Amino acid sequence: MTEDNYSLTTEFILIGFTDHPKMKTVLFVVFLTIYLITMVGNLGLVPLILMERRLHTPMYIFLGNLALMDSCCACAITPKMLENFFSKDRMISLYECMAQFYFFCLAETADCFLLAAMAYDRYVAICSPLQYHTLMSKKLCLQMTAGAYIAGNLHSIIHIVFLFRLTFCRSHQINHFFCEFLPLFKLSCVDPYINELLMFIFPGSVLVFSIIIVIISYLCILFMIFKMKSKEGRGRATSTCASHFLSVSMFYGSLLFVYIRPNSVKEEDKDISVAIFYTLVIPLLNPFIYSLRNKEVINAMKKNIKKNF
């Protein structure tokens, strides 16, 4: 490349979903609705758990932090995506791109560890109820929560630091609806091999570790459920675990598909529909799956509504 043609790219275009005017309007309304429900559902849980003393237990502490991270993920991605539906340039600077990825990576990594912690908490509650307060103390709960946030921050910072070794001098179009690093690597005029390796090793380690904990915990729970004599208790526990495991499977499955499969960098065009699941759909569903079907949460909501209105 000659010097005249060589220019470093510091701004990118997020191509998004479609340029068709009618589809843009429909998608805008759909994703705006998802965003508003996600924010109301998740951010509504956080103060509820803080205000209601009966919800100051490990399970609800994990749920509150999961809701907070889901809100963080939605805030990092959705507003810019909604703006780009009707923006003429759809531009995002490199630093905005890094900030978007930082909060996205923080939220997704913390979610992985929080879901693993929630699975372990349910395992202790169902399989060792008499030792629950000993095995799952508030101190351990806070340590696990802090560990999820620390891991999320470190994971994000590592990728951001190594991004600075890249320079971008090719096309400035990112074929995605948010600043995902995998399609960004294709635009680098420096070999992104190290960055691609890190994107495989670190997400892979986080996913494998947390998935092992979730699978072992739920297998032990299922084994305990089958030993229950009460059909009513068995049905209630199975229903709860099945809905939780479905949400966890969709979340981990979509992340595994994007980051761990071979040639993930070369086939990022196929990842947009999958990315919708772990960035938009899962944060929308989590409040309903984990909290709003819970009698204690519903009773706490009714109590606070009566108190304030």
Side-chain angles (χ1 to χ4, degrees):
M1 184 179 292
T2 64
E3 283 190 20
D4 293 335
N5 292 331
Y6 186 91
S7 60
L8 296 180
T9 301
T10 57
E11 290 186 323
F12 305 95
I13 296 175
L14 293 171
I15 295 177
F17 295 97
T18 179
D19 289 326
H20 197 283
K22 291 183 179 179
M23 281 302 296
K24 280 175 21 176
T25 304
V26 172
L27 289 173
F28 177 84
V29 172
V30 170
F31 289 127
L32 176 62
T33 304
I34 290 174
Y35 177 63
L36 293 176
I37 296 174
T38 298
M39 297 306 292
V40 170
N42 284 290
L43 291 182
L45 277 174
V46 176
L48 181 67
I49 291 170
L50 287 173
M51 290 186 297
E52 188 61 44
R53 294 190 65 182
R54 286 184 300 176
L55 301 182
H56 292 180
T57 61
M59 180 178 72
Y60 294 109
I61 291 172
F62 292 138
L63 283 173
N65 284 279
L66 183 71
L68 190 62
M69 286 295 96
D70 284 343
S71 301
C72 176
C73 182
C75 285
I77 292 170
T78 312
K80 186 67 177 178
M81 180 187 69
L82 293 173
E83 176 192 332
N84 287 342
F85 276 116
F86 300 104
S87 172
K88 291 182 179 179
D89 53 27
R90 292 174 290 179
M91 299 293 291
I92 184 169
S93 71
L94 179 60
Y95 292 103
E96 285 179 309
C97 192
M98 288 191 291
Q100 192 179 60
F101 182 81
Y102 171 81
F103 288 107
F104 159 74
C105 186
L106 164 64
E108 297 301 297
T109 305
D111 273 0
C112 285
F113 288 110
L114 287 170
L115 288 170
M118 289 165 62
Y120 174 73
D121 174 74
R122 291 300 84 204
Y123 155 72
V124 176
I126 294 173
C127 299
S128 303
L130 299 178
Q131 297 177 295
Y132 178 76
H133 294 291
T134 303
L135 296 175
M136 185 53 71
S137 62
K138 284 189 178 181
K139 181 180 178 181
L140 176 61
C141 171
L142 294 175
Q143 288 174 341
M144 293 170 77
T145 303
Y149 283 110
I150 292 169
N153 276 286
L154 289 175
H155 191 198
S156 301
I157 290 169
I158 287 170
H159 293 300
I160 297 292
V161 167
F162 276 89
L163 182 69
F164 280 106
R165 67 179 287 272
L166 302 180
T167 52
F168 303 95
C169 54
R170 297 175 183 171
S171 169
H172 56 290
Q173 293 186 341
I174 299 177
N175 189 21
H176 219 295
F177 62 90
F178 74 101
C179 201
E180 171 55 289
F181 273 18
L182 293 178
L184 189 63
F185 293 158
K186 289 186 69 176
L187 310 182
S188 174
C189 50
V190 176
D191 186 1
Y193 173 75
I194 294 176
N195 300 75
E196 293 172 8
L197 188 63
L198 291 174
M199 289 296 291
F200 180 82
I201 291 173
F202 283 103
S205 301
V206 169
L207 285 168
V208 169
F209 174 76
S210 51
I211 286 172
I212 288 173
I213 292 175
V214 168
I215 290 174
I216 292 175
S217 298
Y218 277 107
L219 285 176
C220 292
I221 290 170
L222 286 173
F223 181 73
M224 181 60 65
I225 288 172
F226 289 134
K227 290 173 65 177
M228 290 181 179
K229 294 181 179 179
S230 169
K231 289 185 178 180
E232 183 181 346
R234 189 188 306 166
R236 187 168 57 250
T238 303
S239 174
T240 302
C241 289
S243 60
H244 289 193
F245 193 73
L246 176 62
S247 173
V248 168
S249 298
M250 287 193 299
F251 177 72
Y252 286 127
S254 56
L255 288 177
L256 284 169
F257 178 83
V258 172
Y259 292 105
I260 307 303
R261 80 182 194 278
N263 300 319
S264 58
V265 176
K266 297 178 182 178
E267 300 177 6
E268 85 284 345
D269 292 355
K270 302 177 182 178
D271 296 342
I272 294 178
S273 58
V274 180
I276 293 173
F277 269 96
Y278 61 80
T279 58
L280 301 174
V281 176
I282 300 298
L284 170 70
L285 294 178
N286 278 343
F288 298 97
I289 292 175
Y290 289 105
S291 303
L292 299 181
R293 293 172 68 248
N294 187 295
K295 288 184 179 180
E296 290 186 354
V297 173
I298 293 172
N299 290 336
M301 288 175 62
K302 290 179 179 177
K303 177 183 173 183
N304 279 275
I305 291 171
K306 287 180 180 178
K307 186 187 295 184
N308 294 314
F309 296 98

